[in-house]
Amino acid sequence: MALHRLVAMGVLTRLDDTCGYRNDYADTPLGRALIVEPMIPYGATAAGKLALWVWVGGRFPACFDLISTSHYRARVHGRDMHVHNRRMLTNHMVLLAGLRITSPIRTACDLACMEPAERQGCDVNQLLAVLMTKYEISPDDCLNMLWRNQRWPRHSLGITTFIALKRRRKSWPGVDDDGTGWGAASAADGDGMVGSAHPDVQYGSARPTNVFVHCDGSA
């Protein structure tokens, strides 16, 4: 009852029958990283749709996409863990409020390479447009990363996705009529992380204890 009341009041978003996260923490990448960090196993890296949620927000994903050399079978808050044992360069990962997470450009490449079954319930092209516009990543930036890593699973699908997005780039917000404007303020730098033109990407180590609310018993 307590959880239901807090969800109805807009204070929490429900994760399962006994737990939810505070909505005021879900307004920024830093806050969303603080929400996700305690959920995932130590040493794992948030990737795919989970990383996308941290970077741009929206609806909390129905599964946890992780990069790790270990296997995790237990469900977390009613959600399966999809673990990928992928080659992970140091410059493809950043640390955000203690959370290991794929950089925006690596996240975009991972999403573009998703197989059709993984795309269910997720409009990949639309979400890619949001992610790439927010962090000023061009289709060419992503194509260059994919061409440098040709052994990634479903590499050709990613190439096809970004070529299609490049053809439609004039319709994206933030792109000039002549098709320019991608990364005008700051392109992705050498370590795969966007530059200082993006003030909403913040770093920190503090982890408050009240990001989650567990409701047991009656209100």
Side-chain angles (χ1 to χ4, degrees), residues 115-129:
E115 62 184 10
E118 292 179 299
R119 295 181 180 223
Q120 291 183 1
C122 176
D123 189 338
V124 170
N125 284 2
Q126 180 180 358
L127 294 173
L128 275 172

Side-chain angles (χ1 to χ4, degrees), residues 172-192:
W172 288 24
V175 179
D176 300 333
D177 291 339
D178 61 357
T180 62
W182 286 101
S186 172
D189 60 23
D191 65 0

Side-chain angles (χ1 to χ4, degrees), residues 1-14 18-23 212-216 219:
M1 291 177 62
L3 179 60
H4 178 75
R5 181 175 297 178
L6 290 169
V7 170
M9 293 171 60
V11 176
L12 299 180
T13 291
R14 182 193 300 269
T18 62
C19 182
Y21 63 80
R22 284 175 45 180
N23 289 330
F212 288 98
V213 176
H214 291 269
C215 297
D216 299 313

Side-chain angles (χ1 to χ4, degrees), residues 30-153:
L30 177 62
R32 292 189 290 270
L34 289 169
I35 291 170
V36 169
E37 194 273 335
M39 296 184 189
I40 67 174
Y42 178 79
T45 300
K49 289 175 282 188
L50 183 60
L52 176 70
W53 183 78
V54 173
W55 291 123
V56 302
R59 179 177 295 181
F60 195 85
C63 66
F64 288 81
D65 290 318
L66 304 175
I67 294 178
S68 176
T69 56
S70 301
H71 297 281
Y72 307 102
R73 302 188 184 279
R75 289 165 63 87
V76 177
H77 302 302
R79 292 163 169 81
D80 292 327
M81 289 194 181
H82 293 173
V83 182
H84 309 276
N85 186 1
R86 293 175 179 165
R87 180 169 176 258
M88 189 69 175
L89 299 179
T90 302
N91 59 9
H92 291 179
M93 186 274 292
V94 296
L95 196 65
L96 184 64
L99 174 70
R100 290 168 56 95
I101 181 173
T102 53
S103 65
I105 188 170
R106 172 62 191 254
T107 301
C109 290
D110 286 343
L111 290 169
C113 293
M114 277 185 176
E115 62 184 10
E118 292 179 299
R119 295 181 180 223
Q120 291 183 1
C122 176
D123 189 338
V124 170
N125 284 2
Q126 180 180 358
L127 294 173
L128 275 172
V130 174
L131 174 68
M132 295 169 69
T133 300
K134 183 178 179 67
Y135 294 101
E136 297 179 353
I137 304 167
S138 75
D140 285 332
D141 293 333
C142 297
L143 287 168
N144 289 337
M145 176 173 279
L146 287 177
W147 285 125
R148 291 195 301 268
N149 298 275
Q150 298 188 34
R151 294 187 178 182
W152 282 0

